[in-house]
Amino acid sequence: MRFLSATILAFGMLAISACSVQQIQKTVDGYLKDAKPTTEEVVSGLKEALEKGITNGAKKASAVDGYYKNPQIKIPFPPDVQKVETKLRQLGMDKQVDQFIETLNRGAEEAAKQAAPIFVSAIKQMTINDAWNILKGDKDAATQYLQKTTTSQLEDKFKPVIQKALDKVNATKYYGDLVNTYNKVPFVDKVNPDLNDYATTLAIDGLFKLVAQEEANIRNNPGARTSELLKKVFKEQDN
């Protein structure tokens, strides 16, 4: 038995010696690369992808002009009072209306700075089942997960920040002036919407649009998978 074991070992050593270290490493690397990701890798990879997406998305949203000069998420004059904007522009108040719209977006940009910690907390609480559902789910499954788990917290955080930002840049005053001017026009329906709710809702919607774009980039663009773990995990999705 000892002789047989020694013979097998000798042949094994000869076979190994016939291969270079580089060849052996290449074979091992290839095997590991082609192997299906473990559950732990899926969870870690998705958390990495989400953190990457939210960091980029929140950074874009909170930058100066992140909302204001991005037509996809720019907050317009409240749609239920578009008639106010139309009438005021007819009265030669273009500058005041434009200034009001700018302040809405500046408030959103300021509030977006609060988003990342809330997202990170939600990511840390992600379960194994959540991770697999995201990997094999819709193209925006990760964004849907964040919407489901963070929207309420975002609203609680955004509202006071947006209100403070709106007050800081006198947006509430501008809006009050605009609406009061409009309400003085004869025979018009008086309006008085909740400006904070409106700005908060659109600020959060815009933020999720940017996060969804980042998610789509990682899912569809192999070049955006900047780590071996991301490449391995999302290769499983591609299959």
Side-chain angles (χ1 to χ4, degrees):
M1 179 65 69
R2 288 182 180 178
F3 174 76
L4 180 59
S5 298
T7 302
I8 293 173
L9 178 61
F11 275 112
M13 293 299 292
L14 286 172
I16 292 174
S17 65
C19 300
S20 68
V21 174
Q22 290 83 359
Q23 289 174 316
I24 294 173
Q25 186 63 51
K26 184 176 180 180
T27 300
V28 172
D29 290 344
Y31 172 79
L32 293 176
K33 183 176 181 181
D34 293 336
K36 287 184 174 296
T38 64
T39 297
E40 291 76 13
E41 286 176 326
V42 169
V43 174
S44 296
L46 283 170
K47 287 183 177 181
E48 180 182 332
L50 281 174
E51 289 194 22
K52 175 182 171 66
I54 66 171
T55 298
N56 290 340
K59 185 177 180 180
K60 289 177 180 177
S62 61
V64 175
D65 293 331
Y67 280 83
Y68 188 53
K69 291 191 176 179
N70 183 342
Q72 291 184 313
I73 64 173
K74 181 179 180 179
I75 302 176
F77 209 96
D80 56 341
V81 288
Q82 284 288 337
K83 55 190 176 183
V84 177
E85 177 182 5
T86 301
K87 178 61 69 174
L88 291 173
R89 290 191 184 279
Q90 290 174 351
L91 295 173
M93 298 182 67
D94 288 349
K95 181 178 179 180
Q96 291 90 332
V97 172
D98 291 339
Q99 187 174 29
F100 166 69
I101 293 173
E102 180 178 350
T103 56
L104 279 181
N105 288 274
R106 295 291 182 237
E109 290 160 9
E110 186 70 22
K113 296 175 183 178
Q114 303 290 315
I118 296 174
F119 284 150
V120 170
S121 177
I123 291 169
K124 289 180 178 179
Q125 296 176 41
M126 181 189 296
T127 66
I128 292 172
N129 193 48
D130 290 330
W132 280 109
N133 287 340
I134 289 171
L135 184 65
K136 292 299 187 179
D138 296 335
K139 61 181 181 180
D140 63 342
T143 302
Q144 290 181 38
Y145 168 81
L146 288 176
Q147 286 178 310
K148 180 178 68 175
T149 56
T150 67
T151 295
S152 178
Q153 297 175 67
L154 287 172
E155 288 175 347
D156 290 342
K157 286 287 187 180
F158 270 44
K159 279 189 175 181
V161 175
I162 282 186
Q163 187 62 59
K164 183 178 179 180
L166 293 176
D167 292 342
K168 180 180 178 181
V169 293
N170 289 323
T172 304
K173 178 181 181 300
Y174 292 140
Y175 184 70
D177 291 345
L178 291 173
V179 170
N180 287 335
T181 300
Y182 175 81
N183 285 341
K184 292 177 182 178
V185 177
F187 310 114
V188 299
D189 295 329
K190 303 299 186 278
V191 294
N192 185 30
D194 187 328
L195 182 59
N196 195 333
D197 276 348
Y198 170 75
T200 296
T201 298
L202 266 69
I204 293 173
D205 288 348
L207 180 62
F208 280 127
K209 285 182 182 179
L210 295 182
V211 171
Q213 290 174 2
E214 294 296 329
E215 177 183 359
N217 188 39
I218 293 174
R219 285 185 183 274
N220 301 324
N221 179 13
R225 303 167 189 173
T226 54
S227 73
E228 290 303 318
L229 181 57
L230 282 179
K231 292 175 183 177
K232 184 174 184 179
V233 169
F234 281 93
K235 182 179 180 181
E236 180 70 10
Q237 168 214 259
D238 297 339
N239 295 333

